[in-house]
Amino acid sequence: MIKQIPVLDCCTLSGYKEDELLVDHLASYLHKHSSLAFPHRHNFYHLVLFTSGSGTHSIDFTRFEVRPMHIYFMVPGQIHTWEFEGNPDGYVINFSREFFQSLLLRPDFLNGFTFLNGIAQDGAFQIPAHLEDEMTAFFERIYEQVNQEQPLQKDLVSVMLLYVFMRMEQQVSPAEKHKFPVYNYTLLRNFQKLIEQHFTNLRLPKDYADLLYITPNHLNALCKEYLGMQAGEVIRNRILLEAKRLLVSQDMTISEISDELSFNDNSYFTKFFKKLVGMTPEEFRKNKA
């Protein structure tokens, strides 16, 4: 029987100022949660800024090196693990899906940040040298604001966090975000959002092109020019990611996973997986167990 990967909830981690938010120094957080199971998922947003330490961590099977002033962002549902060396420190911030509700009128506002799109490679990066002192000082101010004896000023913390997000979006990702026209960027972001909603039942670029009101050739050209792959590959990569998540995190048979992902039969799913990964689903599951 495959052991199910735990899903961490706000209430399962001690030390919360309230159920919607946690801000702590990383060293203290690791000490308090030394028995934290790995790998695991969160049902909340999670970000860490490293100020010291080394080792590796992985998000959805993509591995990253831990370095000072390395920051990573995770959205609910992603699979996470880490292997630290030495005594890492920095800041950890966890917040729920509902944390910004009282402040923001647009429920999808956070989706506009590149690093909160659920793609592992976009969620981890090095803070530019000219921002190091500013970001470290600002994270400390957030920590002090949340952990003071006075009642929590939730909206103030929300604004402070949004400032961090906007500085990161402004300074770290402009080359990625603005290397092509805004219209094309919007199309690709909407394509990715549609894949997230429909990848289990819509498999063809034509299906998504219709929803975007463009031709399949136009969609393929955009993906090839700016993502370096065809639209079909973008769709297949999302299906593959979900297959990997289910293989390591659920007590499901291969046949049940095949059904969950809307494959016609188990053999087709196995061929699909092996072609992209180089091993069968069974082999992948044993390798990750």
Side-chain angles (χ1 to χ4, degrees), residues 24-27 48-52 88-92:
D24 205 351
H25 291 127
L26 180 60
V48 170
L49 169 65
F50 294 103
T51 56
S52 64
D89 203 0
Y91 299 88
V92 57

Side-chain angles (χ1 to χ4, degrees), residues 119-242:
I119 299 174
Q121 292 88 341
D122 293 341
F125 46 83
Q126 195 78 15
I127 290 180
H130 69 279
L131 277 183
E132 290 182 1
D133 292 342
E134 176 188 346
M135 285 295 101
T136 302
F138 209 80
F139 269 78
E140 182 63 24
R141 289 174 63 188
I142 294 173
Y143 170 81
E144 292 171 353
Q145 182 65 38
V146 171
N147 293 283
Q148 63 183 348
E149 293 299 324
Q150 300 176 12
L152 179 66
Q153 300 294 317
K154 179 180 174 181
D155 285 348
L156 175 58
V157 176
S158 298
V159 171
M160 295 173 77
L161 276 175
L162 286 175
Y163 173 80
V164 170
F165 295 169
M166 290 176 179
R167 287 294 277 161
M168 291 297 94
E169 186 77 8
Q170 179 186 42
Q171 298 295 330
V172 177
S173 61
E176 290 300 314
K177 185 174 179 181
H178 301 300
K179 65 184 179 182
F180 45 86
V182 173
Y183 174 71
N184 290 342
Y185 173 80
T186 302
L187 275 178
L188 287 175
R189 290 285 284 155
N190 288 339
F191 176 45
Q192 291 170 328
K193 291 176 185 177
L194 288 170
I195 291 174
E196 196 65 30
Q197 297 170 17
H198 303 293
F199 68 87
T200 59
N201 60 300
L202 296 182
R203 301 294 177 84
L204 300 177
K206 180 183 182 304
D207 298 327
Y208 293 95
D210 288 344
L211 292 173
L212 292 167
Y213 300 101
I214 61 176
T215 67
N217 286 341
H218 186 185
L219 180 59
N220 269 321
L222 283 175
C223 291
K224 190 171 182 180
E225 181 174 0
Y226 299 118
L227 301 180
M229 64 184 80
Q230 298 281 354
E233 187 176 354
V234 181
I235 300 166
R236 290 190 293 274
N237 285 346
R238 182 60 185 91
I239 299 167
L240 178 64
L241 172 59
E242 196 65 21

